[in-house]
Amino acid sequence: MKILMSVIFLGLAAAAAAQERAHLDVQTTAQKEELVVNDAGESETRLVPAEILVPGESVFYTITFTNVSDQPADNVVITNKIAENLMYVDGSAFGAGMDILFSVDGGVTFAAAGELTVTEDGEVRSAEAGDFTHVRWVMRNDLDAGARGIARFAAVLE
Amino acid sequence: MGTAVGTIIENTAVVSFDLAGTPLTLQSNTTTIAVAERIDVTVTLQSPQTLVAPNDTGRALLLTVTNTGNGTETFTLLMDSVIGGDNFDPTPAVPDIYFDTDASGDFSAGDQAYAPGVNDPNLNADESISVFIVNDIPGTVLNGQTGRSELTATSATGTGAPGTVYANQGDGGVNAVIGVTGGEAADTGEYLVSDVLVNVVKAQLVSDSFGGNEPVPGATLTYTITVDVASSGTAAASVVRDTIPALTTYVPNSITLNGAAISDLTDGDAGEFDTTGTPTVVVRLGDLTQADPVQTIVFQVLID
């Protein structure tokens, strides 16, 4: 346990140092839907932190990035590997002012969802949500000093 | 089914950008999600509708119980033979549930009885177990009546609406969450009473061309087949098919049913001489019950 704590501490320290140098603050949160009954007796879903998940449930990842420097950042690209046991939810990736690309080859190449193909049993077919290994958001414009961007996607636990 | 309990799902985003012409890359924090136990179970009937007779004992129906959750789970089993949609209630045998211990698919002497709380099946994720539910058939049942019996498998951790959480009760102390099956499943099998007893008797008479009864070439064999129902119930759409013996030749237009001629052609009457395969005399008797008179079919062949 002591060793694990040290590793975590070192990891946090390294991340903090990197962000200080990088002048961009990047945070990821994982949430899931929870069904609640409101005061009017109606069922509604709300997002709560996803600490545990069971197969079939979806997780909603939100990546928030803020330019904490005093100059614009350009060529901002966010890449998120889709964890093993998770399957991308078709159409769920979103980011205002961003082009959304995917990879089906472990993050080597990226293209729009409709342009990707996979070869299965010697036959080429269009890629499906289950084939995606990475999601990528490419900002079309600069991220001004002090500005914030948000990228989202959802995946279902297999 | 699904990702194993305790699996850790981590997620980290990577951001690259240029700042004042300098390319930089950094990582976000890493989120961590633990996979909890999802409790799900299915019960699937394997036996077809099972034909039984009054007073039968130890009639078994085979079902499969499958742990469709993602962890290890214990299930309790319960048989119920007092359910709707049938004509009679089968009488539960004692004990009434057995495991297919010898994996034969048939209820047999080596199969171990289920004792609630003693040998409740403990199944890994995706593991199945074959179970027999066993009933006796009351003596009062009538032909054509059905009786149903149901097996229910219930998660020992608990049941409830999908999403119900049993805190810390999953494998290794993680939360257990009820899945779409509610942690409980059942399936129903059916017995059909069918003990129609039909008597079919075939007799032959030899007439040789010399006025005697010697089975010599050229002699005529006259076959008489009688059919009657000797029990309650209906022998539905009864058909008699009799192939012409080897080394004999059918005598054209010799078929009669209850004294009335039946043509050899397939022409809408009650029978024909069918030569599409092995030459066969075919006579359709329709639905027969005990109330019907004895049906008598006669036809002739010549010894070659």
Side-chain angles (χ1 to χ4, degrees):
Chain A
M1 183 57 84
K2 204 175 240 177
I3 292 168
L4 183 63
M5 290 296 286
S6 304
V7 170
I8 291 171
F9 180 74
L10 282 173
L12 288 173
Q19 285 183 5
E20 205 173 334
R21 282 197 306 275
H23 297 295
L24 219 62
D25 179 57
V26 188
Q27 295 295 327
T28 300
T29 60
Q31 294 172 297
K32 63 177 179 178
E33 284 184 335
E34 187 180 75
L35 197 66
V36 292
V37 178
N38 64 19
D39 293 340
E42 299 157 342
S43 291
E44 57 182 28
T45 55
R46 64 176 182 192
L47 288 173
V48 296
E51 285 158 4
I52 65 163
L53 213 60
V54 293
E57 279 189 306
S58 292
V59 54
F60 298 81
Y61 287 112
T62 303
I63 303 144
T64 307
F65 47 100
T66 310
N67 185 350
V68 293
S69 76
D70 55 5
Q71 48 195 317
D74 53 11
N75 298 325
V76 177
V77 175
I78 300 100
T79 305
N80 198 119
K81 180 180 187 292
I82 298 165
E84 207 179 330
N85 301 312
L86 289 183
M87 191 173 95
Y88 174 73
V89 175
D90 203 12
S92 65
F94 172 80
M98 302 177 218
D99 292 324
I100 294 164
L101 308 177
F102 298 90
S103 175
V104 293
D105 58 8
V108 178
T109 58
F110 285 83
E115 296 169 6
L116 288 166
T117 58
V118 293
T119 304
E120 197 171 58
D121 300 329
E123 291 189 21
V124 178
R125 62 165 175 81
S126 297
E128 295 163 3
D131 300 317
F132 298 156
T133 61
H134 292 68
V135 194
R136 171 170 283 181
W137 296 259
V138 179
M139 281 199 76
R140 296 183 197 118
N141 301 314
D142 292 353
L143 184 67
D144 291 336
R148 166 181 293 183
I150 294 176
R152 290 201 171 100
F153 78 101
V156 63
L157 179 63
E158 291 172 346
Chain B
M1 196 178 291
T3 307
V5 174
T7 303
I8 301 297
I9 309 289
E10 292 186 327
N11 192 76
T12 309
V14 177
V15 180
S16 63
F17 56 97
D18 295 344
L19 206 60
T22 306
L24 296 164
T25 297
L26 59 85
Q27 293 194 340
S28 74
N29 59 305
T30 297
T31 60
T32 302
I33 300 171
V35 177
E37 181 176 352
R38 192 192 63 200
I39 295 176
D40 270 321
V41 60
T42 60
V43 175
T44 308
L45 177 71
Q46 304 295 332
S47 297
Q49 189 184 51
T50 299
L51 301 182
V52 296
N55 295 313
D56 275 2
T57 58
R59 298 306 304 265
L61 298 168
L62 179 65
L63 300 101
T64 307
V65 177
T66 304
N67 176 3
T68 51
N70 66 337
T72 302
E73 190 62 23
T74 299
F75 298 95
T76 56
L77 306 176
L78 187 70
M79 186 184 91
D80 183 4
S81 294
V82 185
I83 53 178
D86 59 2
N87 305 118
F88 70 92
D89 292 331
T91 308
V94 182
D96 56 4
I97 299 174
Y98 287 79
F99 299 108
D100 187 14
T101 310
D102 60 5
S104 64
D106 292 315
F107 181 45
S108 48
D111 293 336
Q112 188 188 7
Y114 167 66
V118 177
N119 58 359
D120 295 325
N122 182 258
L123 302 177
N124 295 324
D126 298 331
E127 189 182 0
S128 294
I129 190 165
S130 295
V131 173
F132 292 108
I133 54 176
V134 184
N135 289 278
D136 299 337
I137 306 303
T140 52
V141 299
L142 301 174
N143 273 299
Q145 288 189 326
T146 57
R148 291 181 174 175
S149 188
E150 179 180 70
L151 177 71
T152 301
T154 305
S155 159
T157 300
T159 59
T164 303
V165 176
Y166 285 88
N168 308 323
Q169 290 189 44
D171 293 356
V174 301
N175 284 5
V177 182
I178 300 298
V180 289
T181 63
E184 185 170 274
D187 203 1
T188 302
E190 188 169 84
Y191 300 102
L192 172 65
V193 180
S194 175
D195 67 342
V196 181
L197 182 62
V198 179
N199 289 326
V200 179
V201 178
K202 185 177 181 181
Q204 70 175 35
L205 177 69
V206 182
S207 345
D208 64 38
S209 48
F210 311 107
N213 302 105
E214 294 301 319
V216 295
T220 302
L221 292 175
T222 301
Y223 287 108
T224 302
I225 300 170
T226 57
V227 178
D228 70 299
V229 172
S231 71
S232 60
T234 301
S238 304
V239 180
V240 171
R241 294 174 199 277
D242 199 13
T243 54
I244 301 304
L247 305 176
T248 69
T249 301
Y250 171 72
V251 176
N253 295 308
S254 65
I255 308 170
T256 64
L257 170 60
N258 300 328
I262 291 177
S263 73
D264 289 348
L265 302 173
T266 304
D267 54 4
D269 63 7
E272 58 264 350
F273 180 59
D274 182 357
T275 55
T276 51
T278 304
T280 303
V281 170
V282 179
V283 178
R284 287 174 289 275
L285 303 174
D287 293 350
L288 291 180
T289 69
Q290 209 165 6
D292 290 309
V294 174
Q295 305 292 300
T296 304
I297 298 161
V298 178
F299 67 92
Q300 293 178 323
V301 300
L302 289 175
I303 297 177
D304 295 339

